[in-house]
Amino acid sequence: QSVLTQPPSASGTPGQRVTISCSGSSSNIGSNTVNWYQQLPGTAPKLLIYSNNQRPSGVPDRFSGSKSGTSASLAISGLQSEDEADYYCAAWDDSLNVVVFGGGTKLTVL
Amino acid sequence: QVQLVQSGAEVKKPGASVKVSCKASGYTFTGYYMHWVRQAPGQGLEWMGWINPNSGGTNYAQKFQGRVTMTRDTSISTAYMELSRLRSDDTAVYYCARVEDTAMVNGGDYWGQGTLVTVSS
């Protein structure tokens, strides 16, 4: 049972826009920044969004993040086949004193 | 370019210990924290803790307290994560990640390729 809640799966067709939600509480998302990671099969996680809505250099602007209250979301526009991956949200938790992750969302491009 | 290269896969028996290394290059090793995250087969990510390569200071998730030890050797820009009293549920891929701070506020911007540790009798 993950501290941050994500839908286990999401899907879309090429060119579509999809969003992935991440729900937490006042001790994590509510008081700290959210980061998003993309994990392609068999590879290490890659930082996709940091500090709620910032993209590291090299990440296409098709990827965007937002946060409101105790929830965050990742949006992917202009969906491409290479976006098929697992996506994880993460944040520091002030009560548990750990970095907490969502359970991950498997994105399928139909 | 920044690189984190981890040691190879390990197979251990229950009760044994494993030590995974993470060699950093392309940046000032002592300028960033090194966090460790693991991922059991088919499961999500789990944070284990961090080491400050500059001071050697550490912080471990309570779940691993007493079983995990993170160390570093600044002369070879390498961080280590040792996990003792291994159990079958410690079977996972272990990752090191370069991080600016203790709480991963801005995330881990570079990750090692991962080290599979299999615990089996």
Side-chain angles (χ1 to χ4, degrees):
Chain A
Q1 195 84 357
S2 301
V3 174
L4 303 182
T5 301
Q6 297 180 234
S9 64
S11 64
T13 56
Q16 264 191 331
R17 182 178 189 270
V18 298
T19 61
I20 297 171
S21 62
C22 176
S23 177
S25 67
S26 58
S27 63
N28 42 65
I29 293 178
S31 51
N32 295 294
T33 60
V34 177
N35 304 308
W36 289 89
Y37 297 91
Q38 177 192 59
Q39 187 175 34
L40 298 170
T43 69
K46 170 191 171 184
L47 184 63
L48 202 62
I49 297 288
Y50 68 94
S51 195
N52 302 327
N53 54 19
Q54 302 299 302
R55 282 186 309 277
S57 62
V59 173
D61 59 7
R62 303 186 295 106
F63 296 91
S64 62
S66 64
K67 183 183 112 169
S68 178
T70 59
S71 293
S73 64
L74 172 71
I76 310 171
S77 60
L79 199 61
Q80 298 180 4
S81 58
E82 56 260 41
D83 298 334
E84 195 160 280
D86 294 325
Y87 293 85
Y88 294 91
C89 58
W92 179 259
D93 191 294
D94 292 330
S95 296
L96 300 174
N97 289 314
V98 298
V99 174
V100 291
F101 289 91
T105 298
K106 184 175 184 61
L107 175 63
T108 301
V109 181
L110 302 169
Chain B
Q1 72 286 18
V2 174
Q3 276 194 304
L4 300 177
V5 179
Q6 298 184 222
S7 48
E10 303 260 15
V11 179
K12 296 292 183 181
K13 293 193 183 305
S17 297
V18 68
K19 190 171 186 177
V20 178
S21 68
C22 171
K23 182 170 178 58
S25 61
Y27 72 98
T28 301
F29 178 63
T30 52
Y32 293 79
Y33 291 83
M34 196 70 78
H35 290 234
W36 291 85
V37 174
R38 76 178 187 178
Q39 185 172 36
Q43 302 301 308
L45 302 168
E46 182 176 32
W47 182 80
M48 300 181 70
W50 56 256
I51 181 168
N52 179 342
N54 188 40
S55 66
T58 56
N59 182 44
Y60 307 137
Q62 188 170 13
K63 173 177 179 175
F64 301 102
Q65 290 273 2
R67 286 207 305 141
V68 70
T69 305
M70 296 177 189
T71 57
R72 92 293 190 214
D73 184 339
T74 57
S75 68
I76 55 172
S77 299
T78 300
Y80 302 92
M81 187 285 300
E82 184 171 20
L83 190 61
S84 63
R85 301 195 301 278
L86 290 169
R87 306 184 295 252
S88 57
D89 61 357
D90 290 318
T91 294
V93 176
Y94 290 76
Y95 295 102
C96 58
R98 187 186 86 156
V99 184
E100 290 179 345
D101 60 86
T102 60
M104 274 189 151
V105 171
N106 290 328
D109 58 356
Y110 288 91
W111 293 60
Q113 83 276 18
T115 296
L116 175 62
V117 175
T118 302
V119 183
S120 173
S121 54

